[in-house]
Amino acid sequence: MRQTVDVFSDDKSSHTQLVGDCVHWMRALPDASIDVVFADPPYLLRNKRQRMRGGKLVMDPGMSWDAIDHWKWIREVSRLLRPGGTFFCCCSYHSLFEIGLTAGEHGLRVLNHFTLEKHPSPPCVTGRMARQNTENLLWFAKGSNWTYHKQVLKDAGLQSVWPYPVAEVRGLPHETPKPLSIVSLALQMSTDPGDRVLDPFSGINSVAIAGWDLGLEIISIELHARYVRHGAIRMRCAGLPTGSRIVQKVKHGQDH
């Protein structure tokens, strides 16, 4: 099932929140209608039903969402991007190569592979492998003449290794939130005011929050209404406009 939640805007920015399967919603959008896609899809973790809690490894059925067919949604990304549009994708080593291969098969050319280095590094869940203290951010383009503000990256003093400040996401109501500083940097270097940005796995609305002050038109898609609720609360806490309708729907048990 899919449903539309309110569209919120001011004279510069707008945010549309959609609830439901991202592929279904993306199929409803017209060709070449998106300037930038920023996606943080499920990681396809082998231990997707395990997590650390209180220093111990426990089974967590709440992580059963961590599965997806990358071919279907990346195909839609390629269709929706305008010529010269770009696509950011967060991933761990579990899905890094599959995403890169699939994007290439759909005509998207990789521009950069950014390494996100976590400070401090998280513990190894199983204790049988080295600590994985990095994640990945892939940047693809559809065709040529993509938007790139080099000065943004230069001012930040960064090249292809970016710090991932774990403290920014600690305590947030989501399993894999991304720091606003990382999302904001990616959007600043790849967008102009008025651009339309699609976030097909919006979670608790990091892209919407990071992009609001940049004058962007943001379309968020999230499968689980409980995350949409947390995202709406988070946007309110950041002083951004949102509505009460989705909060009321979640309170009445409508979690799609």
Side-chain angles (χ1 to χ4, degrees):
M1 181 178 290
R2 66 187 189 189
Q3 64 183 108
T4 307
V5 185
D6 295 321
V7 178
F8 307 98
S9 64
D10 60 14
D11 58 342
K12 295 181 180 179
S13 306
S14 70
H15 178 224
T16 302
Q17 178 72 67
L18 308 174
V19 183
D21 179 79
C22 71
V23 174
H24 292 167
W25 274 116
M26 292 164 79
R27 287 173 178 168
L29 299 175
D31 294 354
S33 60
I34 301 295
D35 297 292
V36 174
V37 175
F38 191 105
D40 186 12
Y43 280 7
L44 305 180
L45 302 175
R46 291 182 182 276
N47 58 338
K48 61 189 177 188
R49 297 177 70 86
Q50 298 177 331
R51 67 184 304 180
M52 294 296 292
R53 181 176 295 160
K56 297 181 180 180
L57 183 64
V58 297
M59 299 298 293
D60 186 353
M63 290 188 73
S64 60
W65 51 263
D66 195 25
I68 194 170
D69 183 345
H70 286 308
W71 179 272
K72 291 182 179 180
W73 72 270
I74 292 178
R75 177 179 58 193
E76 293 303 311
V77 167
S78 179
R79 180 184 65 82
L80 292 175
L81 280 176
R82 62 165 175 80
T86 57
F87 165 40
F88 290 93
C89 189
C90 301
C91 57
S92 71
Y93 66 90
H94 302 84
S95 55
L96 171 65
F97 302 105
E98 180 178 348
I99 289 173
L101 177 62
T102 304
E105 290 176 342
H106 286 95
L108 302 175
R109 180 164 72 93
V110 64
L111 300 176
N112 278 116
H113 169 208
F114 298 106
T115 299
L116 311 179
E117 187 175 12
K118 294 186 176 182
H119 303 281
S121 61
C124 176
V125 174
T126 65
R128 299 174 60 194
M129 297 175 289
R131 286 191 175 195
Q132 187 64 33
N133 68 328
T134 62
E135 290 190 23
N136 307 281
L137 179 63
L138 299 175
W139 189 28
F140 302 92
K142 181 179 179 179
S144 58
N145 298 321
W146 57 88
T147 300
Y148 175 45
H149 300 295
K150 182 178 180 180
Q151 192 63 38
V152 172
L153 205 59
K154 185 177 180 181
D155 289 345
L158 297 176
Q159 296 184 16
S160 62
V161 178
W162 298 5
Y164 185 114
V166 175
E168 277 192 35
V169 300
R170 187 172 291 127
L172 292 178
H174 194 277
E175 286 80 3
T176 59
K178 292 299 172 291
L180 290 176
S181 57
I182 288 176
V183 180
S184 178
L185 183 61
L187 294 179
Q188 287 179 57
M189 75 179 200
S190 63
T191 63
D192 292 318
D195 280 355
R196 179 178 290 178
V197 177
L198 172 65
D199 179 3
F201 307 95
S202 61
I204 53 176
N205 284 341
S206 294
V207 173
I209 295 171
W212 187 269
D213 290 336
L214 300 178
L216 303 174
E217 180 183 345
I218 302 161
I219 301 174
S220 302
I221 307 174
E222 173 54 44
L223 179 62
H224 300 290
R226 65 180 180 275
Y227 289 141
V228 177
R229 172 179 173 270
H230 288 304
I233 294 171
R234 191 179 179 208
M235 291 185 71
R236 287 179 184 169
C237 291
L240 303 181
T242 184
S244 60
R245 209 187 308 175
I246 187 62
V247 177
Q248 294 300 318
K249 287 176 181 175
V250 175
K251 285 182 178 178
H252 287 89
Q254 297 183 28
D255 189 355
H256 301 287

